[in-house]
């Protein structure tokens, strides 16, 4: 059995749904655009642009996170961060989230409280003004979190994956491989002798490599850089969730171009920088001659090799990440 | 083990995430307000009103549905129907959904195809013009579905739970207890000798009581009646998901009034009409003298007894439904 560092106190089943929600909702700050928050059949959010951007994502205990490795706070933070980055990758300003949680009835309410605190703080740091607009609480044997995030384009056109053109420069903002290094450490050393995730072993990993573990369990992606890139005229952009190589290929295929990375710009460990998933940086292209805005760094150029990813002119492998690959079906 | 009537064919793990999505996405029709559909980091939806209505809900195999009792098509239909009704209960016109699914890797892809077909047809029948805007596919040992639905207020104010005033009439649109009767039949007779949900036993229940089972597994709530009520001046409204008594109490508490039902108007089986959950009808209040629009029927009046539900002037019990009550923690 996986051993998690779970708080004690009453469980969801002991308190009942209404009392649990009464403890959770006050921890969630409304957003600047929230016209009507939780408590009715639906919420009402301002969309002064006349359009809204929307993305949804589900996180499942086992394949997507482990309570032995992440605190509830970190889980809430990461749930916010990963969805905010998808909104940012369209060039939109995040305005809010709705969050549905399905949890085992024996889950301590303190787990949900910590999760709510992480959501709130993640929003406050990464997307000030965005709030949690509504939610849902269900029962399941597997802790499962579904986040839907919204954004406002503020009159701009969305930045798609399909807009890169030969001759554009390729730029990246955020970590390159750090989250993957943290996950590899947790898999290698954050386990008990039987190989199951273990909270105590994970604490020791954290003590030795706090930044690598934090990049995995509570990433700080460059959410604000999405609007910055759009304003600067980004021609294409996406959230790097599955690794730089695999996500660059998505721009390459959607745009009918090649993405040629400059190996030196990607740092000393090229393989991890290209293959490492879950950094949630932003990969964007800009017309040549554009002053590429901070925190973006130029890491390559767009070439005429449709659908291909290259490094220093050589075609690269298709490294990436598939949620079904390598998962053995157990939650531990 | 629960025996479900599952289709054969390749599984999600056999096809891989990308190939699965390539088979699912063409089954989902875009909506009239979809400016950018699935395929980028996020979708873009028109919100010409300058606001949007949003609600989210998670459905979990076990507490919320059984594949032995529902076909994948029915599951998709119900996922759409229940969320559309929450949008309708605000007086908004549904414009679209995003859908996240977490499924065991051994799930036949045909299950997801049937689910997508049910979503599409449910939308086409219940909310023409609304489409599936985006989605997500994850791995889990428990089939889990999260739907987030959107709506447009078309310039009207949202109809809240808090607007009922003493002297208003109380009106209801939809079924009263039918879905609960269907569920009770499935629990009583749709099981194997060990008491587990069984597809063959459920087929026999269906043959004898098609309308009761359909009301449970593929309800047809009066989604269009939400806008009708708002236009007619409804002072309060909600989706009756947890039973008429429990949901009426929500209006009573939010509005600081009493809801007094007329027993004769509720039909012959008063107990089931008041306590039966999951009909997803609409309960609304209108100023006295308002011509209550079809398909609403007058079922009571708003009285000066704050927070109370009454029947023919007598206070009623707090019958209702809690997702954690009576669930034994197994998925079967």
């Amino acid at each position: 059995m996986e051993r998690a560092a779970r708080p004690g106190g009453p469980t969801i089943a002991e308190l009942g749904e209404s009392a649990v929600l009464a403890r959770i909702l006050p921890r969630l700050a409304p957003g600047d655009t929230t016209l009507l928050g939780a408590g009715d059949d639906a919420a009402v959010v301002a969309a002064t642009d006349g359009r809204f951007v929307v993305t949804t994502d589900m996180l499942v205990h086992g394949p997507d996170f482990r309570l032995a490795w992440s605190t509830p706070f970190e889980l809430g933070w990461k749930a916010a961060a990963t969805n905010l980055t998808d909104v940012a990758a369209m060039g939109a300003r995040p305005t809010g989230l709705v969050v549905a949680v399905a949890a085992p009835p024996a889950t301590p309410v303190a787990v949900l409280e910590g999760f709510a605190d992480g959501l709130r703080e993640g929003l406050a740091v990464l997307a000030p003004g965005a709030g949690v607009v509504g939610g849902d609480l269900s029962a399941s044997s597997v802790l499962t979190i579904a986040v839907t995030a919204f954004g406002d384009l503020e009159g701009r056109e969305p930045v798609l994956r399909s807009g890169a053109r030969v001759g554009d420069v390729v730029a990246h903002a955020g970590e390159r491989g750090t989250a993957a290094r943290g996950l590899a450490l947790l898999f290698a050393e954050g386990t008990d002798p039987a190989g199951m995730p273990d909270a105590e072993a994970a604490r020791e990993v954290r003590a030795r490599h706090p930044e690598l573990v934090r990049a995995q369990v509570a990433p700080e992606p460059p959410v604000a850089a999405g609007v910055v890139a759009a304003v600067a005229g980004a021609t294409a952009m996406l959230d790097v969730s599955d690794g730089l190589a695999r996500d660059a290929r998505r721009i390459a295929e959607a745009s009918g171009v090649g993405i040629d990375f400059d190996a030196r710009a990607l740092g000393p460990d090229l393989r991890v920088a290209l293959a490492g998933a879950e950094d949630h940086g932003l990969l964007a292209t800009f017309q040549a001659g554009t002053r590429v805005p901070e925190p973006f760094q130029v890491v390559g150029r767009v070439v005429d090799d449709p659908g291909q990813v290259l490094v220093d002119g050589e075609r690269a492998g298709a490294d990436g990440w598939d949620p079904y690959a390598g998962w053995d079906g157990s939650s531990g």
Side-chain angles (χ1 to χ4, degrees), chain A:
Chain A
M1 278 294 294
E2 173 174 337
R3 277 194 296 140
R6 288 194 179 185
T11 66
I12 296 174
E14 286 162 4
L15 274 197
E17 186 187 7
S18 301
V20 171
L21 291 177
R23 283 173 67 157
I24 301 303
L25 292 176
R27 292 171 178 266
L28 300 170
D32 293 346
T33 61
T34 307
L35 303 175
L36 177 71
D40 217 295
D41 290 77
V44 183
V45 180
T48 48
D49 175 80
R51 304 164 294 177
F52 64 94
V53 163
V54 56
T55 178
T56 194
D57 190 35
M58 198 158 352
L59 298 169
V60 180
H61 191 254
D64 297 318
F65 66 90
R66 316 291 177 112
L67 281 175
W69 289 344
S70 296
T71 65
F73 182 95
E74 289 166 343
L75 182 56
W77 177 290
K78 185 166 177 174
T82 56
N83 282 278
L84 293 170
T85 313
D86 278 324
V87 169
M90 305 303 287
R93 186 177 305 281
T95 52
L97 311 174
V98 293
V99 183
V101 175
T107 305
V109 176
V111 169
L112 296 186
E113 291 176 326
F115 175 75
D117 290 345
L119 276 176
R120 182 190 66 240
E121 292 303 308
L123 284 166
V125 169
L126 299 173
V132 177
V133 170
D136 181 44
L137 178 62
S138 308
S140 176
S141 54
V142 180
L143 181 59
T144 306
I145 295 150
V147 174
T148 301
F150 310 105
D152 195 299
L153 286 162
E154 302 176 323
R156 295 179 299 273
E157 284 308 296
V159 183
L160 308 183
R161 298 174 177 190
S162 54
R165 296 292 172 260
V166 174
D168 286 357
V169 297
V170 176
H172 178 261
E175 298 292 324
R176 289 192 280 272
T178 318
R181 279 195 284 265
L183 185 63
L185 270 174
L186 288 168
F187 269 114
E189 303 174 26
T191 53
D192 64 17
M196 297 301 283
D198 184 86
E200 197 173 326
R203 265 195 297 276
E204 289 167 22
V205 177
R206 251 173 218 267
R208 289 195 305 278
H209 305 283
E211 282 162 30
L212 297 183
V213 173
R214 196 166 58 235
Q216 167 58 221
V217 299
E220 294 195 39
V223 174
V227 168
V228 169
V231 169
T235 52
M237 184 157 53
L238 54 49
D239 161 36
V240 182
S241 52
D242 296 340
L244 213 44
R246 187 159 168 178
D247 283 315
R249 193 175 303 277
R250 293 187 168 123
I251 290 181
E253 290 173 350
S255 298
V257 299
I259 302 291
D260 188 6
F261 286 111
D262 175 357
R264 279 171 312 178
L266 293 182
D269 192 338
L270 184 63
R271 196 191 62 78
V272 173
L274 282 170
E278 294 196 270
D279 278 322
H280 298 286
L282 293 172
L283 184 66
T285 57
F286 297 88
Q287 279 196 320
T290 303
R291 187 190 174 94
V292 171
E294 288 191 352
F296 285 91
Q297 300 176 328
V298 174
V299 293
R301 65 209 66 77
V302 179
V303 297
D304 184 13
D305 194 356
Q308 296 298 322
V309 173
L310 308 93
V311 178
D312 293 343
E314 302 276 335
R315 287 189 181 175
D319 270 309
W321 185 75
D322 183 316
Y324 288 94
W327 184 54
D328 66 1
S330 80
S331 296

